[in-house]
Amino acid sequence: MCGIVGYVGKRNALPILLEGLKRLEYRGYDSAGVALLQDGKIQINKCAGKVSQLEDLTKDLHATATVGMGHTRWATHGVPNDINAHPHCDCNNNIALIHNGVIENYATLKKKLESLGHVFKSSTDTEVLVHLIEEFSRWNKDLDLAVRGALKEVTGTYGIIVADTLNPDTLIIARKGSPLVIGYGDEEIVIASDASALVQHTRKVAYLEDGEVAVVNGHDVTVKTLSDVEITKVIEELTFDLEQIEKGGFPHFMLKEIHEQSETIQNSMRGRLLEEDGNVKLGGLSEIAEKVIRAPRLILAACGTSWHAALIGEYMLEQYAGISVEVEYASEFRYRNPILNKSDVVILISQSGETADTLAALREAKAQGATAVGICNVVGSSIARESDGGVYIHAGPEIGVASTKAFTSQLTVLALLTILIARSKGMPRDKGMELVKELAMLPEKVKKILSDTKQIENIANEFKDKKNFLYLGRGYNFPSALEGALKLKEISYIHAEGYPAAEMKHGPIALIDENMPVVFIAPKDSTYDKVISNIQEVKARSGKVIAIVNEEEDAICKLADYMITVPKTLDLFTPILTVIPLQLLAYYIAVARGCDVDQPRNLAKSVTVE
Ligand code: G6P
């Protein structure tokens, strides 16, 4: 994780770096720092805390440097404090470096460097790299040669920016496993972990690939491989604008993103529904469509909220497309020697397209000869680029650390994929038409849920001081229960568990008393009657029931303490609607508890470490 930004140009670098860091804060926010190249020296300012603290620290600097770099950290090695904050310097403060990733062999390298006389100040893995570059620069006055020499000794992942006093107009950048985007402006270059930090300066970008090192000055970027082969980069145009990454009048990004869902679900389907044929088209799969359709099994691998989407995808694909599906935590998949066949298709689901474990699962799948399909949000992200084919969810930039709109768009795309495979495997046209028609109606139904959120806010205020929550659902809404519990944990720090409703009697029922709120996800689907029995079991033990139900409800209103209604839809689409009150409940509880909703403690949006 961590966010990095660099600037080489003619303007004052500091405000550009600070602004960029604020946009990248979703990647980590426990400490921050900047390095400015000024008057033949590297001037470093860094501190524990958020970018706003760095802003305070630098407000009286009167900096005029036109070259610099900045970092916002999510700690892996070394506690978040002033010393461990990046940038880190070599022994003589002539070379500075910022890093996103993990240097896995740092302990061995550190020992070696200490024996050569290097003195370390921090307890980070990163500092090893800058001392290693210092060591290589004894023989190579060209900084890029020293950087390339050092990187050959390193195992692990990195996105780095390096500066030195001998080349004050130049930054060196390199990537392995952690993303870096180069923005080409007017006589200036901005580098960042993600395009949101540079879109206000330029729309022309190129993505650095693994194993590439670039020398950046204000006019020019020269990209080479680690082994010195020159590369010509393709310059692409960004497809989003500044407005999409601002709060637009909402107090938090999370609330804005929850409210965008009618539109974002629509965007996920746009141009893809063939209503007359009862089918869909997914252009990004056209070259591998046969492989996907004929695959004996699909493996869906993901992390966090995306993993919950995968679980729902499994239910959809098995029920409608009649295809065997396995869902894997990407982090487990990668390390447990999975057995794959060349005809298997592995679908990687990732909002950011950069999650290290999901990317590693993709590479494992490809190494074993399977076909890899990416379902990503961030255009041009690593997973999107390395997949054999894929489908963008088109939810637009998601900034709130707790994922919301990406989840409902992932579900929409999984529904599209289900229809595509099901139709090619013999699902009748009229059944396809029914699904497509209902999908097309979802944005209106989402709008209806979002038109009045006062009741959810009231319930949140009622329950904000509870210590535990249980979320229960069955069938398609068991994963919704997991997602509801995850949202609450992430942003309000209340312990919450999601469980299949029927499994409650095998353990969690022991926790139920008058202090235990139980959120039931109970739309009128095929498991409805069974869920009513589970609600009765909770009520018999004095639990407090909050039920997410359909509008035309009669049985549950006699049992539940609180009810939140959502419009009716087909079983497979119900999680797209039921999750919205769950997102809002978590949001309003977190706000009522005074939590930092968009930047919850210890979390980061894009987890680029394993
Ligand atoms: C982090 C985020 C979650 C996200 C997960 C997977 O944990 O905080 O919101 O669901 O990573 O991220 P991805 O970008 O791969 O969907």
Side-chain angles (χ1 to χ4, degrees):
M1 8 260 250
C2 304
I4 64 183
V5 55
Y7 178 81
V8 189
K10 295 198 159 156
R11 292 189 284 159
N12 187 357
L14 182 60
I16 295 169
L17 298 175
L18 291 171
E19 186 61 40
L21 288 182
K22 281 196 211 150
R23 301 228 184 264
L24 295 175
E25 250 188 324
Y26 71 87
R27 303 176 65 87
Y29 33 81
D30 60 40
S31 48
V34 285
L36 300 169
L37 279 105
Q38 202 162 333
D39 308 326
K41 289 203 175 90
I42 295 178
Q43 192 185 7
I44 305 256
N45 283 276
K46 56 184 188 172
C47 58
K50 298 196 171 181
V51 175
S52 56
Q53 273 147 284
L54 178 66
E55 214 168 19
D56 285 347
L57 184 74
T58 54
K59 71 175 184 305
D60 298 325
L61 269 188
H62 306 297
T64 53
T66 58
V67 180
M69 60 191 179
H71 186 273
T72 178
R73 181 170 184 243
W74 185 87
T76 58
H77 296 60
V79 296
N81 60 21
D82 293 357
I83 294 174
N84 289 336
H86 299 211
H88 292 283
C89 284
D90 67 330
C91 295
N92 301 310
N93 292 334
N94 286 329
I95 307 173
L97 174 142
I98 54 177
H99 170 221
N100 168 27
V102 173
I103 308 298
E104 288 166 7
N105 58 340
Y106 82 99
T108 322
L109 291 171
K110 188 169 181 177
K111 220 165 171 190
K112 203 155 115 191
L113 288 161
E114 278 174 335
S115 74
L116 292 169
H118 290 262
V119 178
F120 286 79
K121 300 179 201 79
S122 76
S123 41
T124 62
D125 54 329
T126 301
E127 197 185 346
V128 164
L129 189 48
V130 71
H131 287 279
L132 195 59
I133 294 170
E134 179 184 20
E135 201 51 41
F136 274 87
S137 67
R138 291 186 207 282
W139 298 283
N140 297 300
K141 288 300 160 211
D142 281 345
L143 185 59
D144 75 306
L145 289 179
V147 170
R148 277 195 269 139
L151 290 178
K152 286 182 191 157
E153 306 263 308
V154 154
T155 54
T157 54
Y158 51 79
I160 54 167
I161 307 185
V162 192
D164 78 338
T165 49
L166 289 180
N167 303 278
D169 301 326
T170 305
L171 296 176
I172 309 294
I173 63 174
R175 164 189 169 144
K176 184 180 163 215
S178 306
L180 275 180
V181 189
I182 307 165
Y184 296 79
D186 184 14
E187 292 190 48
E188 63 182 13
I189 303 287
V190 193
I191 305 126
S193 299
D194 126 359
S196 64
L198 49 79
V199 65
Q200 71 199 95
H201 306 295
T202 178
R203 310 186 66 80
K204 284 195 229 139
V205 298
Y207 298 91
L208 206 66
E209 298 289 347
D210 279 356
E212 291 178 354
V213 181
V215 180
V216 179
N217 62 44
H219 306 276
D220 200 17
V221 180
T222 314
V223 183
K224 290 184 177 175
T225 63
L226 264 187
S227 44
D228 208 20
V229 179
E230 194 154 340
I231 309 269
T232 308
K233 299 303 288 182
V234 179
I235 297 186
E236 300 172 34
E237 190 85 12
L238 288 177
T239 52
F240 65 92
D241 50 39
L242 199 54
E243 206 179 83
Q244 284 176 278
I245 53 170
E246 304 209 307
K247 284 189 198 146
F250 285 90
H252 297 103
F253 280 114
M254 183 179 176
L255 189 62
K256 177 190 173 222
E257 287 158 7
I258 290 173
H259 278 272
E260 278 173 352
Q261 288 177 105
S262 165
E263 201 182 322
T264 49
I265 291 168
Q266 183 77 63
N267 289 343
S268 305
M269 300 189 264
R270 198 179 300 287
R272 291 171 167 171
L273 301 185
L274 305 171
E275 299 204 19
E276 283 305 303
D277 297 342
N279 209 337
V280 305
K281 62 166 188 259
L282 296 170
L285 291 185
S286 52
E287 282 177 24
I288 51 164
E290 271 308 299
K291 280 190 174 158
V292 176
I293 290 159
R294 305 281 156 241
R297 64 171 180 166
L298 301 176
I299 296 158
L300 310 187
C303 299
T305 289
S306 301
W307 184 77
H308 295 157
L311 288 177
I312 296 167
E314 177 184 26
Y315 283 55
M316 291 176 177
L317 286 156
E318 291 206 335
Q319 181 181 352
Y320 286 89
I323 190 163
S324 162
V325 177
E326 286 169 30
V327 176
E328 298 271 358
Y329 280 116
S331 52
E332 290 297 314
F333 178 75
R334 182 233 170 142
Y335 284 110
R336 66 166 183 77
N337 300 320
I339 298 163
L340 292 172
N341 298 311
K342 290 201 170 24
S343 48
D344 288 333
V345 170
V346 181
I347 302 182
L348 297 309
I349 306 174
S350 173
Q351 185 286 128
S352 61
E354 299 293 349
T355 299
D357 285 321
T358 314
L359 184 56
L362 180 152
R363 289 174 181 162
E364 176 66 35
K366 288 185 75 171
Q368 292 201 35
T371 302
V373 173
I375 296 184
C376 297
N377 190 31
V378 177
V379 176
S381 56
S382 302
I383 293 173
R385 282 180 291 127
E386 291 189 28
S387 297
D388 298 305
V391 190
Y392 280 119
I393 64 171
H394 294 312
E398 191 182 63
I399 315 283
V401 166
S403 185
T404 53
K405 63 175 181 172
F407 180 69
T408 46
S409 284
Q410 287 166 341
L411 294 183
T412 306
V413 164
L414 285 163
L416 297 176
L417 184 65
T418 301
I419 296 169
L420 183 80
I421 301 177
R423 285 285 284 123
S424 63
K425 290 187 141 198
M427 178 201 269
R429 173 169 165 256
D430 54 353
K431 185 69 194 164
M433 284 172 82
E434 184 196 348
L435 293 179
V436 169
K437 195 166 157 228
E438 184 58 28
L439 253 183
M441 279 155 66
L442 288 178
E444 271 312 304
K445 296 186 178 186
V446 169
K447 212 180 258 173
K448 192 157 181 220
I449 301 171
L450 290 167
S451 65
D452 183 11
T453 60
K454 192 71 202 152
Q455 185 212 3
I456 301 176
E457 201 175 340
N458 292 342
I459 299 174
N461 284 323
E462 187 95 5
F463 286 93
K464 71 177 177 22
D465 296 319
K466 294 290 179 193
K467 301 269 180 290
N468 297 289
F469 266 75
L470 202 54
Y471 286 72
L472 300 176
R474 293 181 86 141
Y476 281 104
N477 283 294
F478 154 52
S480 316
L482 296 179
E483 177 60 8
L486 178 65
K487 287 287 88 77
L488 190 70
K489 274 185 277 208
E490 283 180 311
I491 58 169
S492 75
Y493 320 138
I494 295 176
H495 171 247
E497 269 191 74
Y499 240 80
E503 280 291 305
M504 175 186 66
K505 5 186 206 316
H506 301 290
I509 199 163
L511 300 170
I512 291 171
D513 62 15
E514 66 284 1
N515 291 316
M516 175 63 93
V518 185
V519 181
F520 272 96
I521 299 109
K524 278 200 173 147
D525 62 11
S526 57
T527 65
Y528 176 73
D529 293 331
K530 305 272 179 224
V531 175
I532 294 183
S533 309
N534 300 137
I535 297 179
Q536 259 154 348
E537 287 154 13
V538 170
K539 283 314 296 173
R541 287 155 184 86
S542 309
K544 291 274 171 296
V545 170
I546 303 164
I548 315 292
V549 297
N550 281 143
E551 282 156 344
E552 48 297 315
E553 177 54 59
D554 37 26
I556 297 180
C557 53
K558 300 191 190 93
L559 295 170
D561 298 274
Y562 300 88
M563 289 204 321
I564 303 167
T565 57
V566 297
K568 191 148 175 37
T569 181
L570 296 173
D571 283 18
L572 80 164
F573 303 140
T574 52
I576 299 178
L577 301 184
T578 57
V579 78
I580 293 172
L582 301 178
Q583 296 166 344
L584 286 164
L585 186 64
Y587 171 79
Y588 284 118
I589 290 177
V591 170
R593 288 164 69 88
C595 298
D596 189 343
V597 172
D598 283 334
Q599 294 177 351
R601 70 183 180 204
N602 303 340
L603 298 182
K605 184 145 193 75
S606 184
V607 181
T608 54
V609 295
E610 288 173 31

